[in-house]
C-alpha cells in the first residue's frame, strides 16, 4: 500500500489467473488452453503482418475482423464488438451495461473474474446458488436485477444451459441485459448468437483463447443488438481506441476464416474429453457432464487438494479452487491423448 494510491485501489481484489509455470515438460492442464496449435493459416496471416506497416496504427475499428465474425455467424458488423481478450470485452460490458441501481446476478459457482469487475466498477451483485446438480435454475433469477451474466457452458463446472432456458431468462428480464459468456461453447454447446435478432437485451461474448487456440494473442468478441454494441464502443473509445493490434486483427480474422481446422481440432478435444471422462469414472471419480474443454471431477474417497498436490509432484498441474462448495473438485483441462494418459496414470498411482 502506498500514500500515492487513489483510495479505491486499496479495496480492489485482483483476479488470480491459473499458474503459468516457467518449467517446461510439465503436463499443464490448469488453464483450459488448447492442446493443439492455432490454425496454420492464422499463423501465416500474422507472420505476413510483421513488416514495415507496423509503424502505422492499426484500424481502430478492426473492420476486417468484425467482417470475418459477421460472416461466420451471419450477423451485421454493427452487431459485433471486438476486444483484447474476452476479459476486456466483459470489462467494458460491466462498465457500460451493468451499472444500474439493482444488483447484477450471477451463479455462486462461476467465472471468478465477475466479482473482481464488480468491485472495480462498484457494481452491487448477488450470487445465485446453482442447484444440487450444479445446474443453473432459471426461476431463481426472477428477482429485481441490474443485469445477469453467466458462462455457458459454466466454468468451472462445464455444465451447459439449453437455449430454451436462455430464452425464458431473456423473456423474463426484458429491461436488463443478459450476458452469456460463451468462452467454451465450441466444445459441444449451442451458441445463443442465433437469438440476438430476437432479443435486444442479449449480449453474447466469446474468446479466441480456447477453441481457436490463440490465448497468447488476446482477442475476444461480443455479438448483440447494435445499441448494446454502441455502448461498448463508447467505453472502448473513451479508454483505448486502438485495442487490437495489426497482428491480432490479421490472425483472429484468419482463424475465423479457417473453419475446417477449427472444426477438426474442436472434435479432437471433444473425443479426448469422452476418453478422459471414461478413465476418471473407472478410477471412481464423479464427473459433472461437460460440454467444455475441461472436466470438473471429485473422488468420494480422496481429498481434492491432496490429489492436486500429488499430481503436481508427478509433473501434472490441474486447477483446484478453495471455495467451499467446490473444494473437493478438480478442474482438469483436456490435453493431447498423451497428456490425458499421463494424468490418468498419475491419478491411478495416487
Ligand atoms: C477464459 C475465459 C474468459 C476469458 O478469455 P480471454 O482469454 O480473456 O479471452 C472469459 N470467460 C470465461 C468463463 C473463461 O473461462
Amino acid at each position: 500500500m502506498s500514500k500515492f494510491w487513489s483510495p479505491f485501489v486499496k479495496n480492489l481484489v485482483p483476479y488470480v489467473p491459473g499458474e503459468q509455470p516457467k518449467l517446461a515438460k510439465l503436463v499443464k492442464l490448469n488453464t483450459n488452453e488448447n492442446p493443439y496449435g492455432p490454425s496454420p493459416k492464422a499463423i501465416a496471416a500474422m507472420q505476413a503482418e510483421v513488416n514495415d506497416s507496423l509503424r502505422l496504427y492499426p484500424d481502430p475499428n478492426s473492420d476486417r475482423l468484425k467482417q470475418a465474425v459477421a460472416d461466420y455467424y451471419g450477423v451485421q458488423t454493427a452487431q459485433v464488438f471486438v476486444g483484447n481478450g474476452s476479459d476486456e470485452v466483459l470489462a467494458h460490458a460491466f462498465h457500460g451495461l451493468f451499472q444500474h441501481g439493482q444488483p447484477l446476478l450471477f451463479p455462486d459457482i462461476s467465472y471468478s473474474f465477475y466479482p473482481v469487475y464488480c468491485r472495480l466498477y462498484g457494481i452491487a451483485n448477488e450470487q445465485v446458488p446453482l442447484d444440487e446438480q450444479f445446474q443453473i435454475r432459471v426461476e431463481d433469477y426472477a428477482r429485481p436485477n441490474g443485469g445477469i451474466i453467466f458462462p455457458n457452458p459454466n466454468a468451472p463446472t462445464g455444465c451447459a444451459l439449453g437455449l430454451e432456458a436462455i430464452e425464458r431468462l431473456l423473456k423474463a428480464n426484458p429491461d436488463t441485459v443478459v450476458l452469456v459468456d460463451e468462452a467454451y461453447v465450441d466444445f459441444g454447446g449451442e451458441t445463443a448468437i442465433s437469438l440476438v435478432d430476437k432479443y435486444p437485451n442479449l449480449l453474447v461474448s466469446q474468446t479466441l483463447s480456447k477453441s481457436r487456440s490463440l490465448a497468447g494473442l488476446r482477442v475476444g468478441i461480443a455479438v448483440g443488438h447494435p445499441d448494446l454494441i454502441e455502448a461498448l464502443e463508447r467505453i472502448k473509445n473513451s479508454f483505448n481506441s486502438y485495442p487490437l493490434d495489426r497482428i491480432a486483427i490479421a490472425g483472429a480474422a484468419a482463424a475465423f476464416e479457417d473453419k475446417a481446422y477449427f472444426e477438426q481440432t474442436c472434435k479432437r478435444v471433444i473425443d479426448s474429453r469422452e476418453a478422459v471422462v471414461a478413465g476418471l469414472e473407472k478410477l471412481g471419480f464423479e464427473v459433472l457432464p461437460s460440454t467444455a474443454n475441461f472436466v470438473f471431477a471429485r473422488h468420494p474417497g480422496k481429498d481434492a487438494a491432496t490429489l492436486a498436490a500429488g499430481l503436481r509432484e508427478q509433473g501434472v498441474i490441474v486447477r483446484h479452487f478453495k471455495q467451499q462448495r467446490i473444494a473437493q473438485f478438480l478442474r482438469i483441462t483436456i490435453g493431447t491423448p498423451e497428456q490425458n494418459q499421463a494424468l490418468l496414470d498419475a491419478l491411478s498411482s495416487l
Side-chain angles (χ1 to χ4, degrees), residues 179 267 305 345:
L179 203 173
K267 182 169 186 314
D345 290 347

Side-chain angles (χ1 to χ4, degrees), residues 59-244:
D59 170 11
N61 293 318
S62 302
D63 282 335
R64 168 135 199 275
L65 175 55
K66 285 184 179 172
Q67 191 63 58
V69 174
D71 290 347
Y72 187 88
Y73 282 115
V75 296
Q76 304 297 314
T77 53
Q79 292 171 293
V80 179
F81 181 79
V82 298
N84 264 303
S86 61
D87 285 339
E88 186 182 80
V89 175
L90 293 175
H92 293 340
F94 274 67
H95 205 172
L97 299 169
F98 290 154
Q99 284 190 312
H100 303 287
Q102 301 287 354
L104 177 69
L105 306 181
F106 50 86
D108 62 336
I109 309 297
S110 76
Y111 190 33
S112 42
F113 225 129
Y114 303 158
V116 174
Y117 284 143
C118 284
R119 232 172 227 272
L120 176 62
Y121 294 116
I123 299 169
N125 61 88
E126 277 174 22
Q127 305 193 11
V128 183
L130 298 175
D131 72 11
E132 288 75 56
Q133 277 75 50
F134 293 93
Q135 307 290 329
I136 291 173
R137 216 169 17 207
V138 166
E139 302 73 55
D140 296 345
Y141 289 76
R143 55 174 104 170
N145 66 76
I148 297 173
I149 183 170
F150 58 94
N152 196 42
N154 197 4
T157 64
C159 302
L161 188 68
L163 286 192
E164 173 270 330
I166 292 176
E167 280 207 77
R168 272 192 284 132
L169 199 58
L170 288 161
K171 282 184 187 146
N173 295 277
D175 298 324
T176 51
V177 171
V178 176
L179 203 173
V180 184
D181 176 353
E182 295 187 345
Y184 302 102
V185 76
D186 297 318
F187 299 105
E190 202 180 351
T191 179
I193 289 177
S194 57
L195 301 175
V196 294
D197 286 333
K198 211 165 147 193
Y199 297 97
N201 57 330
L202 170 63
L203 189 68
V204 179
S205 68
Q206 293 188 353
T207 174
L208 281 77
S209 298
K210 278 89 181 213
S211 57
R212 288 187 172 78
S213 200
L214 287 166
L217 197 64
R218 312 303 307 126
V219 184
I221 67 166
V223 181
H225 191 281
D227 288 351
L228 301 184
I229 301 303
E230 191 187 334
L232 302 180
E233 295 287 354
R234 288 174 71 112
I235 298 271
K236 168 206 154 234
N237 291 324
S238 305
F239 178 74
N240 169 15
S241 52
Y242 291 109
L244 290 202

